[in-house]
Amino acid sequence: MTSGSTMTAPPALDIDPFTPGNLCAPEAVQEAIRETAPVVYLTRYEMYAVGRYDLVQTALSDYARFTSTGGIGMSDIRKPGAWRTPSPIAEIDPPEHRNVRKTLQKVLSPIIIRQWREDFTRVAEAQADAIIASGSVEAMKDIVEPFILKVFPDALGIDMPREAFPLIGEMNFNQIGPYNDLTRKSVEAAGPHLENYEQYFSRESMVKGGFGEKIYAAEDDGGFPEGTAGVQVRSFLRAGTDTTIAGIGHTLYRLAQNPEQWAKLKENPAKAKAAFDEAIRLDSPSQLIHRTTVADIEVEGLALKGDVKVGCFIGAANLDPRRFPDPTAYDIDRGSTGVHLALGAGSHICIGQNIARLEAEILLQALVSRLSRIELDGEATYRPINTLRTLDRLPLRLVA
Ligand code: HEM
């Protein structure tokens, strides 16, 4: 529907979601965006924002009104000054998106995933055996990061120095937001690793037999536009590393805070995936993804102008009391899998979601089978990153 003159514009909000304080404790910003109106206008960033479950789901999936071709970040990649090559999977709309997605799904065949399950299990069990006697750990650095930074790049068949991952990850997720101090500093910090960055995704650098090599083979068979295989591999690495580290970190945190939920998992380890999904509902790693309005449109009686960015506040939507009763409670039996929006919605819904769940399931089961419980052993702290919610420190006591 096009806008009529009687419709009102979305109310303006003068808040800044991207201060370190608001990023580490986002609840007040989430509530302001979600509860003020169905759509609000963030004056500081000259863009719309949505935070209600229904509208975030709509904006993420209705590509006829909310396109991904302007980029999933805050700046419009089609405009001078912000121009960059679009991601050949995340920043295209259907129908173009359909073929690319189909080719990727084919490469991610059940045979590949079965092989990954065996490899991930071997690593998780060895790491759990090694850590169990430690008693106290900082779970992000001692458990979660080493696990994901071992299994995921190996599975993709990419050989990149491990110390580069957190720096490049932080830069990527800052860049999806505004060009503020956090972005500037993280670009600087990642700088030394960026020189050879493209090289890690070249055809010659792909590890034999890995997923990356299969992506190049799919390009040779015409499954992707020529010259995009390397960027596809890079998109996978970018999208799947820090998000999964964050998600497993949140799961361990919630299980430590809620011993009765740990007890449920211990009794039935098949609930590991549900424990992960409920944790990423509560603390969504990917807090914010953008779309762009394709024309002047009406949304719930509000007039939105065309060609303006729309921030989809996923973290706010996953705490929407209209959709989730008692939204801040962590309940692994809630049934949030397939309902929450932490993995997106519509045609761009996370293509790696089952890989993330597999990693979480294997690591959680390795821990739950060896420990009688986990307890917080100090204050957990968050890392301020413009669009990623992740823990910086998670001190845990492991009780064997
Ligand atoms: C907890 C872990 C993860 C979270 C929270 C997450 C979140 C998301 C979200 C919100 C989207 C939708 C983006 C959009 O609509 O524009 C997405 C897409 C995507 N994710 Fe994930 N992701 C996770 C893990 C992974 C993993 C492990 C991989 C790779 C194996 C991956 C690869 C991708 C790719 C390639 C896309 C783009 C899909 C498309 O545009 O069709 N993600 N992810």
Side-chain angles (χ1 to χ4, degrees):
M1 216 188 299
T2 48
S3 61
S5 55
T6 52
M7 276 187 296
T8 53
L13 272 187
D14 188 32
I15 51 173
D16 186 355
F18 308 103
T19 63
N22 281 337
L23 290 168
C24 290
E27 297 77 9
V29 165
Q30 289 171 339
E31 194 177 326
I33 290 173
R34 191 179 56 231
E35 302 308 328
T36 301
V39 186
V40 296
Y41 185 71
L42 297 181
T43 47
R44 292 175 194 224
Y45 298 101
E46 300 181 340
M47 67 174 210
Y48 300 118
V50 287
R52 294 185 186 176
Y53 179 90
D54 287 354
L55 278 167
V56 171
Q57 189 178 40
T58 300
L60 286 175
S61 33
D62 181 356
Y63 56 87
R65 294 194 299 165
F66 302 96
T67 178
S68 291
T69 55
I72 59 166
M74 187 183 280
S75 54
D76 191 326
I77 61 170
R78 301 165 299 187
K79 302 254 159 93
W83 190 90
R84 64 170 167 78
T85 316
S87 153
I89 169 82
E91 295 175 333
I92 50 176
D93 286 339
E96 195 189 351
H97 177 256
R98 260 177 229 129
N99 282 341
V100 173
R101 179 98 184 184
K102 220 164 91 192
T103 305
L104 282 170
Q105 301 274 30
K106 243 195 256 163
V107 179
L108 284 170
S109 69
I111 302 166
I112 285 224
I113 308 291
R114 211 166 27 245
Q115 175 62 49
W116 287 2
R117 176 181 278 281
E118 287 167 23
D119 297 345
F120 296 179
T121 305
R122 212 172 325 106
V123 176
E125 304 226 314
Q127 282 191 355
D129 282 338
I131 200 108
I132 225 85
S134 320
S136 287
V137 293
E138 195 288 278
M140 300 307 287
K141 292 277 171 304
D142 295 337
I143 301 178
V144 189
E145 280 184 19
F147 175 64
I148 295 300
L149 295 186
K150 169 75 187 137
V151 300
F152 191 53
D154 281 4
L156 293 188
I158 292 163
D159 188 14
M160 182 165 118
R162 296 302 186 256
E163 65 277 12
F165 279 86
L167 296 171
I168 291 179
E170 187 151 337
M171 178 187 79
N172 287 336
F173 282 92
N174 274 323
Q175 285 177 325
I176 293 175
Y179 195 74
N180 57 10
D181 254 13
L182 291 169
T183 306
R184 257 188 297 279
K185 284 184 184 145
S186 59
V187 171
E188 247 174 63
H193 296 287
L194 295 178
E195 239 167 68
N196 299 323
Y197 188 51
E198 300 303 323
Q199 192 50 37
Y200 299 123
F201 307 101
S202 66
R203 190 186 283 265
E204 314 76 66
S205 305
M206 294 298 111
V207 174
K208 282 259 155 300
F211 170 84
E213 202 185 55
K214 292 188 170 59
I215 294 281
Y216 272 95
E219 180 187 306
D220 295 342
D221 291 344
F224 300 125
E226 210 182 315
T228 58
V231 196
Q232 293 289 5
V233 182
R234 193 184 67 190
S235 292
F236 260 70
L237 189 78
R238 281 187 174 193
T241 310
D242 307 275
T243 46
T244 314
I245 291 173
I248 299 177
H250 296 316
T251 313
L252 290 175
Y253 185 26
R254 296 296 174 179
L255 288 170
Q257 279 179 322
N258 297 276
E260 77 292 349
Q261 303 296 319
W262 171 274
K264 283 190 205 171
L265 179 61
K266 178 122 187 104
E267 195 184 305
N268 184 1
K271 291 188 175 176
K273 286 184 186 173
F276 173 71
D277 270 277
E278 171 66 349
I280 63 171
R281 178 192 68 80
L282 261 181
D283 284 299
S284 304
S286 189
Q287 284 276 308
L288 170 62
I289 292 277
H290 300 77
R291 296 289 190 257
T292 312
T293 50
V294 296
D296 291 357
I297 52 170
E298 184 222 313
V299 175
E300 298 209 6
L302 298 168
L304 273 62
K305 290 197 163 50
D307 212 19
V308 177
K309 281 280 169 172
V310 180
C312 303
F313 281 74
I314 291 174
N318 278 333
L319 295 172
D320 188 345
R322 297 167 190 79
R323 184 65 190 79
F324 301 103
D326 196 8
T328 56
Y330 178 65
D331 177 2
I332 70 175
D333 292 325
R334 183 192 286 270
S336 38
T337 306
V339 178
H340 68 69
L341 300 174
L343 298 153
S347 57
H348 287 282
I349 194 166
C350 182
I351 197 170
Q353 57 183 293
N354 288 332
I355 298 161
R357 290 196 183 100
L358 181 70
E359 291 167 327
E361 178 191 25
I362 287 172
L363 186 60
L364 289 173
Q365 290 182 346
L367 294 172
V368 87
S369 63
R370 288 166 174 78
L371 298 169
S372 60
R373 56 180 198 281
I374 55 176
E375 291 171 357
L376 283 176
D377 191 22
E379 197 196 344
T381 54
Y382 290 89
R383 249 161 75 192
I385 301 176
N386 283 329
T387 67
L388 180 79
R389 182 146 176 81
T390 193
L391 286 160
D392 189 30
R393 287 180 49 75
L394 178 59
L396 288 185
R397 191 172 315 115
L398 309 178
V399 184

